[in-house]
Amino acid sequence: MVLLLKEHFKLISGTANRPLAEEVAKILKVPLTPVDIKRFHDGEIYCRVLESVRGADVFIIQPTSPDANLHLMELLIMADALKRSSPQSITAVIPYYGYCRQDKKTKAREPITAKLIANLLEVAGVKRVIFFDLHVAQVQGFFDIPSDNLDVIPVFADYIARKNLKDAVIVSPDAGGASRARSYAKILNAPIAIVDKRRPEANVAAVENVIGSVKGRNAIIIDDIIDTAGSITEAANILVKFGAKDVYVFATHGLLSSPAIERIQNSKIKEVIVTNTISLPEGKRISKLKVVSIAPLLAEDIKRTHEGLPMGIVYEGMYRKLEKKIK
Ligand code: R5P
C-alpha cells in the first residue's frame, strides 16, 4: 500500500488503544501528534495537544472501551481542545462505539444513550466519525455529520477462507445478527443458521433452539460484541447439542468483561477470533483467543477521508480477491 499524505494531517491517540494508533501511524508513515493527558486528584481529565494543528485534518483514535465513561470523556475533552485550536476538521475514529446497544427505548422511562453520545460528540466539535461494525447500522442516523461504519467482513472472511473449513455453516447467535451472518454466508458460499436467544435480563442469555441445520457441520458463529460471553458459549452448547462438529466464533469487539475469559476457556468453542478495535489486556490473552488487526483497513479509510477519495472501491477489490480464493 503506497500512502501519500498531504502536509496538513495529524493523527492523535487517546489512552484507550494506543497500540492500534501506533500500528495505523506506522502504516501511514506519520508520527502520532503528542498530547498531554492527565488526571486531577478528583478524577477530572486534563488534555493539551502539544503541537499546532492549525489548518490540519485531525484524526483522534479512541474507542470507548472499558473504562467506557473515562475513555468517552477523554475523547470529548480532546475534541474540545482541538476545536479551540483552529484545525481544518476533527474526525473521531471510534473503532468500538460504547453505548451503541442503548439505541432504543424498550421499557418506559429509559434513555437512548447512543443518541446522547452522538449529540455530545458533535457539541465537542467532531465533524466526522469512523466506526467499525456498529451494533446496528441505524445508529449512524443519530449523527448529523458524515460517518463511516467500516465492515470487518474482508478481514474475518479471509481468515475463515485460509482455515479451509469443509462443511461450514454460518451461525448468528441471535435473530438481531441474522443479516450480519447472511453477508458472511453469501461471501463464503455457506448455509446459515440462527440461534433462538432471549434476554430475560441484561447480560443473561437464554437459548432454546436453533433455526437451520447444523448437524455434521463446522459452525462459525458471527457476532459484533463479546461482552460476558454468555451469548456465544450458550450458542456453542446448543450447536453441539444439535450435532455441530467444531465451533468457531468471530466477533469484532472483544469487550470480554468478567467472566468472559473463564466461560470461553471452559466452553465447547474451539477458537475465538476478535479484532483489535479494543486493546486486549495481558491478563485476557488465552491460547483459544486470537486477535486480527483492523489497522490496515483503518489506515486506508483515514487516508482516503483525508484525500477525499471513496472507500467503496477498496472493499470491492477485497471482495473480488476473496471470491477468487474461495472458488
Ligand atoms: C447482542 O445483541 C450483541 O450482538 C452481542 O451478542 C452481545 O452484546 C454479547 O453479550 P454477551 O457476551 O454478554 O452475551
Side-chain angles (χ1 to χ4, degrees):
M1 192 168 20
V2 180
L3 297 172
L4 297 170
L5 295 165
K6 290 181 211 152
E7 265 181 6
H8 293 298
F9 174 87
K10 299 279 178 190
L11 194 61
I12 292 184
S13 178
T15 62
N17 195 345
R18 179 123 185 148
L20 174 64
E22 281 170 358
E23 216 181 313
V24 171
K26 199 167 164 201
I27 296 170
L28 293 175
K29 298 188 173 63
V30 292
L32 285 173
T33 299
V35 232
D36 187 15
I37 302 174
K38 288 194 282 224
R39 301 282 298 276
F40 292 105
H41 289 290
D42 65 352
E44 287 177 24
I45 298 163
Y46 167 86
C47 164
R48 179 169 176 242
V49 182
L50 297 178
E51 61 187 45
S52 170
V53 293
R54 195 168 285 244
D57 280 337
V58 187
F59 294 78
I60 316 168
I61 300 185
Q62 175 86 334
T64 62
S65 47
D67 182 336
N69 297 327
L70 175 76
H71 291 150
L72 172 65
M73 202 59 208
E74 213 184 72
L75 173 59
L76 294 169
I77 291 172
M78 280 191 287
D80 187 75
L82 288 164
K83 177 176 81 174
R84 297 169 196 284
S85 313
S86 315
Q88 174 74 26
S89 67
I90 304 170
T91 300
V93 180
I94 314 176
Y96 171 68
Y97 182 57
Y99 286 112
C100 60
R101 287 174 287 178
Q102 294 189 37
D103 61 332
K104 57 182 166 304
K105 287 178 74 164
T106 50
K107 292 188 200 99
R109 298 173 299 284
E110 281 184 338
I112 302 182
T113 319
K115 169 63 180 155
L116 170 69
I117 309 297
N119 290 345
L120 290 173
L121 286 164
E122 288 187 37
V123 168
V126 170
K127 293 287 177 246
R128 183 180 190 102
V129 271
I130 297 175
F131 307 110
F132 275 87
D133 204 358
L134 280 171
H135 179 59
V136 284
Q138 300 92 291
V139 163
Q140 285 176 102
F142 292 171
F143 291 84
D144 286 324
I145 51 176
S147 62
D148 284 353
N149 178 23
L150 298 177
D151 241 319
V152 295
I153 297 181
V155 181
F156 278 164
D158 183 63
Y159 190 100
I160 297 169
R162 275 189 283 122
K163 274 209 165 288
N164 203 16
L165 291 176
K166 301 282 172 237
D167 303 319
V169 56
I170 307 298
V171 181
S172 171
D174 51 37
S179 70
R180 185 179 286 109
R182 209 168 284 122
S183 307
Y184 280 82
K186 192 167 163 233
I187 290 164
L188 296 163
N189 199 17
I192 181 174
I194 300 167
V195 173
D196 182 16
K197 178 182 96 177
R198 283 183 306 107
R199 280 255 187 243
E201 56 187 276
N203 282 133
V204 177
V207 156
E208 276 147 28
N209 202 2
V210 178
I211 303 157
S213 170
V214 299
K215 197 164 184 187
R217 291 185 173 272
N218 287 304
I220 299 176
I221 301 176
I222 306 285
D223 209 349
D224 57 333
I225 302 169
I226 302 175
D227 192 350
T228 61
S231 303
I232 56 162
T233 50
E234 286 301 316
N237 284 342
I238 198 148
L239 289 168
V240 170
K241 191 171 151 197
F242 276 57
K245 283 200 279 193
D246 290 334
V247 179
Y248 297 83
V249 176
F250 289 78
T252 312
H253 313 290
L255 280 173
L256 302 165
S257 319
S258 181
I261 294 296
E262 208 183 313
R263 278 182 174 162
I264 291 170
Q265 192 73 282
N266 301 327
S267 74
K268 299 191 160 75
I269 301 169
K270 186 155 186 193
E271 198 176 68
V272 175
I273 298 95
V274 293
T275 77
N276 56 349
T277 56
I278 295 172
S279 178
L280 190 65
E282 201 64 53
K284 292 184 179 173
R285 294 188 192 170
I286 54 168
S287 59
K288 259 191 191 186
L289 191 63
K290 306 271 177 328
V291 182
V292 292
S293 181
I294 46 108
L297 206 52
L298 179 54
E300 189 64 30
D301 191 61
I302 288 176
K303 177 199 161 238
R304 284 176 172 266
T305 302
H306 174 59
E307 297 189 335
L309 296 171
M311 188 62 188
I313 192 165
V314 176
Y315 272 96
E316 280 164 28
M318 286 189 288
Y319 287 130
R320 266 199 304 276
K321 264 195 201 157
L322 266 171
E323 261 169 36
K324 274 190 203 150
K325 202 178 263 182
I326 288 156
K327 264 178 195 165

